[in-house]
């Protein structure tokens, strides 16, 4: 009977010094995944577009304005995911390499982040149909081998400005449903008719047979398209796209701009794009998840590295209701521990390299709300809760409003104000 062979790696050699023997033990496997991507050309093209988005500031109508192209890479379950946020934090992009496109071995599950430097970028642009593309993904590097190149990219610090956008993109996407779809050819026609350069105009796309048509106003079932020039970055992929699906939250006539999602299906891979509600506005959804934070702590240690997170299994393990699990997963999205795949309508495990509490610290409204609670500024009031000089009260249709300028101006469309947050925090403190 043949013994099973296992390769282990030692970070440093064992040494004998001063009559003392120091034995080094093997640590974690040095790779998450090693093998080939059978959909080499689509994957390589999508990686270059992902890098272009990471380098772009769409407020300035230009690609490659930043020197960094640093995607987050996650190996979980049977697939690979590459995520990036634009330099302006208004566009989130993700490449999903599907199981059928992987010919290799998953050694471990985990997340890393690397920079796609010019050498790797150029090598990816040279990958043609039928060419090999081999990846070795580890906690500290990404090694890419093509027909004529071998490039190793080391782990780099993830820009802190990405923190809130990457973490909260999952929470925003969890509110999406599919609204429309079209073939790759129809999508190419649509995108080539859209402007390729700057503009703040908001368009709406509504289903029209097997395609969509553009309108100037929201209506039931419409998908928001703010800053249409941001889709121009997808044009290099259009010859390879088989189908496109559009996602967004529910809207009605008269609705204001909202985020939207685009999913492009290519051979063996999916490329997804999430647009913020305005060109000058980064992705945000902060503050809506405070009621779920306690449940999130219970689930954080129970996340597995399967392709998607099973809410039913988590509910049973943690002794929570399905609604509590949904809220906790939303909170975990904001902590960076999970992302959301709107194509699968499911969360996936991913660990951003940050302390979870840092995300809350970077939210100025939440910091201000905590200060209000600590300063004793939250107390019962006539018709609601008095917070400082303002009144937090119930609004028609449910939820809470406030008499402050922020809430009057945004009506909750950009998350709760610091006073509503403070009232929510105070309500959770035991009497």
């Amino acid at each position: 009977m043949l013994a099973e062979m296992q390769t282990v790696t030692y970070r440093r050699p064992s040494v004998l010094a001063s009559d003392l023997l120091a034995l080094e033990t093997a640590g974690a496997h040095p790779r998450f995944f090693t093998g080939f991507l059978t959909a080499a050309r689509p994957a390589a093209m999508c990686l270059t577009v992902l890098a272009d988005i990471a380098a772009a500031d769409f407020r300035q109508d230009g690609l490659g304005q930043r020197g960094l192209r640093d995607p987050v890479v996650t190996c979980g379950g049977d697939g690979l995911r590459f995520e990036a946020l634009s330099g302006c934090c208004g566009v989130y992009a993700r490449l999903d390499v599907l199981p059928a496109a992987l010919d290799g071995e998953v050694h471990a599950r985990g997340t890393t982040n690397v920079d796609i430097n010019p050498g790797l970028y150029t090598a990816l642009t040279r990958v043609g149909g039928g060419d090999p593309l081999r990846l070795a993904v580890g906690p500290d590097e990404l090694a890419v081998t093509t027909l004529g190149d071998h490039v190793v990219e080391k782990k780099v610090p993830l820009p802190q400005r990405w923190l809130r956008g990457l973490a909260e993109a999952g929470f925003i996407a969890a509110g999406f449903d599919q609204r429309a779809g079209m073939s790759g050819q129809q999508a190419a026609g649509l995108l080539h008719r859209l402007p390729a350069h700057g503009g703040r105009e908001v368009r709406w796309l509504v289903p029209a047979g097997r395609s969509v048509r553009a309108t100037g106003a929201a209506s039931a079932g419409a998908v928001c398209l703010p800053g249409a020039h941001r889709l121009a970055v997808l044009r290099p992929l259009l010859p390879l796209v088989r189908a496109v699906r559009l996602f967004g939250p529910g809207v009605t006539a008269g609705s204001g701009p909202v985020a939207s999602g685009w999913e492009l299906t290519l051979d063996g891979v999916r490329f997804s794009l999430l647009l913020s509600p305005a060109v000058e506005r980064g992705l945000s959804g902060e503050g809506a998840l405070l009621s779920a934070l306690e449940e999130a702590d219970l689930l954080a240690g129970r996340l597995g590295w399967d392709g998607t997170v099973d809410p039913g299994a988590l509910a049973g393990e943690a002794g929570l209701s399905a609604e509590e699990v949904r809220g906790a997963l939303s909170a975990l999205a904001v902590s960076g521990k999970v992302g959301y795949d709107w194509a699968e309508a499911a969360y996936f495990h991913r660990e951003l390299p940050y302390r979870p509490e840092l995300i809350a610290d970077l939210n100025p409204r939440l910091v201000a709300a905590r200060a209000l609670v600590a300063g004793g500024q939250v107390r019962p009031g006539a018709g609601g809760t008095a917070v400082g000089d303002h009144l937090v009260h119930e609004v028609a249709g449910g939820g809470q409003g406030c008499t402050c300028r922020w809430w009057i101006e945004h009506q909750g469309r950009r998350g709760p104000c610091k006073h509503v947050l403070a009232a929510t925090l105070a309500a959770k403190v035991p009497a």
Side-chain angles (χ1 to χ4, degrees):
M1 181 176 179
L2 296 176
E4 181 181 358
M5 296 183 64
Q6 183 177 12
T7 301
V8 295
T9 298
Y10 296 86
R11 294 187 177 273
R12 59 185 64 85
S14 299
V15 296
L16 178 63
S18 302
D19 297 324
L20 294 176
L21 178 62
L23 292 175
E24 180 66 18
T25 59
H29 197 284
R31 295 284 185 270
F32 299 143
F33 169 83
T34 54
F36 290 89
L37 304 191
T38 58
R41 175 65 174 165
M45 289 289 293
C46 287
L47 279 173
T48 60
V49 171
L50 194 79
D52 287 339
I53 291 170
D57 186 338
F58 293 100
R59 299 167 303 182
Q60 300 177 8
D61 190 26
L63 298 179
Q65 300 298 314
R66 296 168 55 229
L68 299 178
R69 295 179 166 95
D70 32 16
V72 174
V73 189
T74 297
C75 177
D78 297 325
L80 292 175
R81 301 180 191 271
F82 298 79
E83 300 174 271
L85 196 70
S86 64
C88 57
C89 297
V91 177
Y92 163 83
R94 188 180 71 250
L95 164 63
D96 296 320
V97 182
L98 304 177
L102 295 179
D103 182 11
E105 184 176 357
V106 174
H107 307 286
R109 273 72 168 173
T111 304
T112 190
N113 46 283
V114 296
D115 191 12
I116 297 181
N117 285 299
L120 176 55
Y121 188 94
T122 300
L124 292 170
T125 63
R126 294 172 178 162
V127 176
D131 287 353
L133 178 60
R134 187 178 189 276
L135 265 59
V137 183
D140 299 314
E141 66 180 32
L142 168 68
V144 179
T145 304
T146 66
L147 197 59
D149 299 279
H150 176 72
V151 184
V152 178
E153 298 286 13
K154 295 295 184 179
K155 183 175 181 177
V156 296
L158 194 63
Q160 197 172 84
R161 60 183 169 274
W162 280 27
L163 178 52
R164 280 174 59 190
L166 271 179
E168 292 174 358
F171 170 65
I172 295 170
F176 287 174
D177 289 310
Q178 183 180 344
R179 303 295 174 182
M182 66 191 99
S183 68
Q185 184 177 8
Q186 291 167 331
L190 171 66
L191 265 63
H192 282 301
R193 291 193 299 271
L194 294 174
H197 300 287
R200 270 54 178 175
E201 181 182 1
V202 176
R203 291 176 168 84
W204 294 85
L205 302 176
V206 295
R210 296 183 177 180
S211 187
V212 298
R213 62 179 178 85
T215 70
S219 61
V223 176
C224 188
L225 179 53
H229 69 284
R230 295 186 287 180
L231 293 181
V233 70
L234 299 176
R235 289 184 178 180
L237 302 180
L238 293 177
L240 304 177
V241 173
R242 293 185 173 274
V244 174
R245 295 196 296 171
L246 277 61
F247 295 78
V251 297
T252 59
S255 290
V258 294
S260 62
W262 292 65
E263 175 211 285
L264 281 63
T265 300
L266 297 79
D267 287 338
V269 302
R270 284 197 303 257
F271 193 88
S272 302
L273 203 70
L274 191 155
L275 302 178
S276 69
V279 173
E280 66 279 1
R281 182 174 156 193
L283 296 169
S284 63
E286 62 271 14
L289 307 173
L290 293 173
S291 61
L293 291 180
E294 292 177 357
E295 291 82 1
D297 290 339
L298 291 175
L299 294 192
R302 300 176 183 272
L303 294 174
W305 283 97
D306 294 331
T308 56
V309 175
D310 185 345
L314 287 175
E317 293 173 8
L320 300 173
S321 68
E323 185 63 30
E324 287 173 328
V325 168
R326 282 194 293 270
L329 285 171
S330 295
L332 287 171
V334 173
S335 75
K337 290 186 177 294
V338 297
Y340 189 82
D341 183 351
W342 56 84
E344 301 288 345
Y347 289 94
F348 60 88
H349 188 180
R350 172 252 280 133
E351 295 278 353
L352 293 182
Y354 294 108
R355 294 177 290 107
E357 60 269 21
L358 179 60
I359 298 173
D361 293 342
L362 291 177
N363 184 333
R365 273 180 274 165
L366 186 52
V367 171
R370 287 171 172 169
L372 288 169
V373 175
Q377 296 295 302
V378 183
R379 58 196 183 280
T385 302
V387 181
D389 297 329
H390 300 282
L391 181 70
V392 174
H393 55 86
E394 292 187 3
V395 296
Q400 292 183 311
C402 185
T403 57
C404 72
R405 176 179 294 182
W406 170 271
W407 196 91
I408 292 172
E409 180 178 351
H410 298 293
Q411 298 289 310
R413 291 186 296 270
R414 299 191 63 175
C417 65
K418 63 183 179 181
H419 308 102
V420 171
L421 289 175
T424 304
L425 284 173
K428 296 176 68 66
V429 176

